[in-house]
């Protein structure tokens, strides 16, 4: 029998479901107090989005802008403070409110000065009630902004993880990805992070850059491994509309797919042979890495509070955010609107999540992790089995060799090849309604 044809391995990076391009304006603008009434609040995740960078990388489609003129960061933090106050009031005190994990992302949170980072932490603690020194706190940084004074603030306020976006230690590759940087500056930033005492260092690397080979890819991997990072993220390069590389018009063709798959496997095997464990297609953790602290937040079930104009919030029935854009002019306009907002008591943009979508989200977010999905957990939540709810999708995955036939009883997980195809597998679990909404979205 001829094996079924495989989809493209790099269809879309699925980091949340439903995707933000499926969100729409909410005509009823529901009040946050009503959305969160009755929701479990004892293991929430807190995310603060800082939409500023010193440069915009060619591959970047994140919600971020270059620079912050006219004291924009101060006005942004003022708005973040107002939003946090409104959100904490909406959460109420009828039930215990506790944050089990926290993260500052972007953009580049360390674009803020040391004093502004202090204020950001104050907002998280004094307005939201998050105990940053008692929960895992992850912060993203860039080499240029990982300065000693900023790192000292983060270490003192409880940061347990610093993630540095290096992408490549090969300067020619960094230039090809429209991320100009000197390796000496990268190495100096890594040294400062290690000196700060933050226990977990993560290094982001990208494969699939024009001209990259197994030899140059290994140079970057080995340069990163020299710092013995507790975590490494290996990202495939994507070229998306309205980004710097997207304007070049490079085609995502079969040859490029083959290059990325080849480099992925090379990087995966290189890390596995050097004491790292694979957590997902992208994430690798050193086997002896220290825990970041207690973390009982489950992304499949627990709620999330997002602060900032690029952050999402999740209740069991609605995912909501603000408007989304990639084009720099549109991003600037949305940030300006955010900083001028006084009333943050309502949800403006989002997508409702019914029972069927909740099942898809739970399966997707569990299956894309190397540990897989415990069937008992799924049954306890939904009273059914993923094989009953998604028979066609799982049968297709099995026929392609994407499911691990040797997994223990009661566990559904991907094979090594299934993990390699995570960015092709994930989109196949999108519902027709979400696919339609994403297709109708007009990039801006």
């Amino acid at each position: 029998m001829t094996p079924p044809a495989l989809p493209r391995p790099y269809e879309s990076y699925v980091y949340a479901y439903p995707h933000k391009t499926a969100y729409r304006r909410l005509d009823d603008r529901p009040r946050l107090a009503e959305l969160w009434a009755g929701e479990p609040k004892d293991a929430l995740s807190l995310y603060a989005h800082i939409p500023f960078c010193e440069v915009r990388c060619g591959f970047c489609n994140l919600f971020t802008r270059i620079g912050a003129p006219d004291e924009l960061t101060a006005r942004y933090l003022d708005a973040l403070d107002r939003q946090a106050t409104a959100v904490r009031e909406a959460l109420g005190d009828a039930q215990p409110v506790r944050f089990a994990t926290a993260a500052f992302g972007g953009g580049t949170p360390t674009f803020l000065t040391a004093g502004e980072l202090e204020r950001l932490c104050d907002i998280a603690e004094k307005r939201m009630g998050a105990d940053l020194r008692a929960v895992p706190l992850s912060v993203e940084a860039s080499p240029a902004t990982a300065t000693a004074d900023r790192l000292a603030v983060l270490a003192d306020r409880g940061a347990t993880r610093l993630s540095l976006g290096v992408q490549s230690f090969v300067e020619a590759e960094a230039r090809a990805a429209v991320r100009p940087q000197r390796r000496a500056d990268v190495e100096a930033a890594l040294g400062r992070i290690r000196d700060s005492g933050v226990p977990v260092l993560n290094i982001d690397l990208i494969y699939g850059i024009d001209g990259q080979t197994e030899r140059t890819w290994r140079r970057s991997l080995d340069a990163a491994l020299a710092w013995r990072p507790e975590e490494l993220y290996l990202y495939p390069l994507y070229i998306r509309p309205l980004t710097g590389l997207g304007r070049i018009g490079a085609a995502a063709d079969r040859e490029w797919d083959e290059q990325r798959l080849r480099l992925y496997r090379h990087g995966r095997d290189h890390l596995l042979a050097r004491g790292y464990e694979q957590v997902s297609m992208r994430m690798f953790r050193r086997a002896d890495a220290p825990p970041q602290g207690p973390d009982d937040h489950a992304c499949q079930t627990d709620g999330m509070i997002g602060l900032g104009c690029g952050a999402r919030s999740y209740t069991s029935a609605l995912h909501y955010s603000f408007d989304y854009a990639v084009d720099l002019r549109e991003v600037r306009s949305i940030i300006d609107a955010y900083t001028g907002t006084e009333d943050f008591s309502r949800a403006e943009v989002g997508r409702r999540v019914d029972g069927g979508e909740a099942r898809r989200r739970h399966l997707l977010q569990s299956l894309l992790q190397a540990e897989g999905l415990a069937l008992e957990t799924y049954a306890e939540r939904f009273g059914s089995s993923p094989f009953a709810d998604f028979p066609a999708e799982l049968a297709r995955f099995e026929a392609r060799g994407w499911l691990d036939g040797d997994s223990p009883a009661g566990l559904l997980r991907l094979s090594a090849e299934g993990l390699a195809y995570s960015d092709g597998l994930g989109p196949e679990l999108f519902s027709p309604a979400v696919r339609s909404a994403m297709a109708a979205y007009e990039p801006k």
Side-chain angles (χ1 to χ4, degrees):
M1 177 183 293
T2 303
L6 295 176
R8 290 192 58 227
Y10 301 104
E11 183 68 30
S12 176
Y13 173 23
V14 182
Y15 54 89
Y17 180 80
H19 191 271
K20 219 172 180 182
T21 54
Y23 290 12
R24 294 295 184 269
R25 287 280 173 190
L26 300 168
D27 293 335
D28 57 342
R29 299 179 62 242
R31 296 188 65 85
L32 300 188
E34 296 169 0
L35 291 177
W36 284 99
E39 291 282 319
K41 308 181 188 77
D42 59 339
L44 296 173
S45 174
L46 176 64
Y47 177 78
H49 176 248
I50 305 300
F52 306 110
C53 291
E54 73 274 15
V55 296
R56 178 140 180 156
C57 304
F59 51 82
C60 179
N61 75 329
L62 298 178
F63 187 95
T64 187
R65 62 161 292 165
I66 303 169
D70 303 322
E71 299 184 340
L72 180 56
T73 53
R75 288 186 282 116
Y76 185 84
L77 289 173
D78 288 343
L80 202 73
D81 199 329
R82 293 194 298 274
Q83 185 190 5
T85 301
V87 171
R88 183 60 188 88
E89 181 179 345
L91 291 176
D93 294 309
Q95 300 169 275
V97 176
R98 171 181 166 268
F99 291 94
T101 182
F104 302 155
T108 308
T110 50
F111 181 89
L112 300 178
T113 65
E116 288 170 334
L117 286 171
E118 289 275 16
R119 187 179 180 198
L120 176 62
C121 292
D122 284 344
I123 291 170
E125 292 189 332
K126 297 176 182 179
R127 294 288 186 262
M128 296 304 304
D131 188 349
L132 297 182
R133 292 180 177 86
V135 301
L137 169 60
S138 177
V139 183
E140 297 174 5
S142 68
T145 60
T147 58
D149 58 338
R150 292 174 169 104
L151 295 173
V153 167
L154 295 172
D156 178 65
R157 299 302 291 264
T160 56
R161 178 180 183 269
L162 258 294
S163 180
L164 193 71
V166 175
Q167 320 315 348
S168 178
F169 284 87
V170 179
E171 292 182 10
E173 291 179 359
R175 289 194 299 272
V178 195
R179 185 187 176 87
Q181 63 187 17
R182 295 171 59 246
R183 177 168 173 174
D185 296 334
V186 173
E187 301 278 0
L190 288 165
R192 291 191 294 271
I193 292 174
R194 280 308 194 201
D195 290 343
S196 74
V198 174
V200 174
L201 165 65
N202 173 71
I203 297 176
D204 288 345
L205 298 176
I206 283 182
Y207 56 92
I209 299 170
D210 187 33
Q212 193 175 44
T213 65
E214 285 93 333
R215 181 181 60 81
T216 62
W217 178 224
R218 183 175 290 209
R219 281 176 57 192
S220 278
L221 291 167
D222 287 339
L225 288 170
W227 291 95
R228 298 199 74 241
E230 285 71 24
E231 294 177 2
L232 275 159
Y233 269 73
L234 308 185
Y235 287 97
L237 178 65
Y238 276 93
I239 294 178
R240 301 176 175 96
L242 304 183
T243 64
L245 292 179
R247 295 187 183 96
I248 298 173
D253 56 17
R254 182 177 297 275
E255 183 178 346
W256 191 33
D257 283 348
E258 291 173 352
Q259 179 210 20
R260 285 181 288 180
L261 264 180
R262 186 171 63 252
L263 293 173
Y264 160 77
R265 291 179 172 129
H266 184 85
R268 174 199 62 194
D269 295 346
H270 197 61
L271 296 185
L272 293 178
R274 283 155 181 79
Y276 284 77
E277 298 172 343
Q278 186 164 18
V279 180
S280 69
M281 172 189 161
R282 287 166 171 75
M283 182 180 179
F284 295 81
R285 180 182 292 131
R286 213 178 71 209
D288 62 347
Q292 294 187 56
D295 179 6
D296 55 354
H297 172 81
C299 65
Q300 299 94 331
T301 56
D302 292 323
M304 177 170 171
I305 296 293
L307 301 177
C309 59
R312 314 162 192 245
S313 297
Y314 304 145
T315 71
S316 60
L318 179 73
H319 292 188
Y320 63 94
S321 182
F322 297 92
D323 204 1
Y324 171 70
V326 175
D327 180 78
L328 291 179
R329 288 171 298 180
E330 294 285 349
V331 169
R332 287 195 292 267
S333 175
I334 293 170
I335 293 174
D336 288 344
Y338 175 82
T339 59
T341 299
E342 295 294 334
D343 181 5
F344 287 100
S345 65
R346 295 178 179 272
E348 304 288 345
V349 177
R351 187 168 188 87
R352 301 191 184 277
V353 178
D354 60 17
E357 294 290 18
R359 284 173 164 81
R360 288 183 182 275
R361 181 171 181 262
H362 192 110
L363 175 62
L364 191 155
Q365 292 192 304
S366 300
L367 204 55
L368 294 184
Q369 299 297 307
E371 66 181 3
L373 168 65
L375 299 179
E376 182 179 7
T377 301
Y378 188 94
E380 287 174 353
R381 183 180 182 192
F382 300 112
S384 60
S385 161
F387 291 100
D389 294 339
F390 303 99
E393 292 92 336
L394 292 178
R396 191 161 61 244
F397 298 164
E398 184 175 24
R400 292 170 178 164
W402 287 357
L403 301 184
D404 183 2
D406 296 324
S407 61
L411 185 65
L412 174 63
R413 70 183 180 194
L414 297 180
S415 64
E417 194 65 4
L419 279 175
Y421 273 82
S422 290
D423 285 7
L425 180 154
E428 292 199 20
L429 288 172
F430 293 2
S431 71
V434 166
R435 287 178 178 275
S436 178
M438 291 175 66
Y441 174 79
E442 297 184 4
K444 60 182 180 179

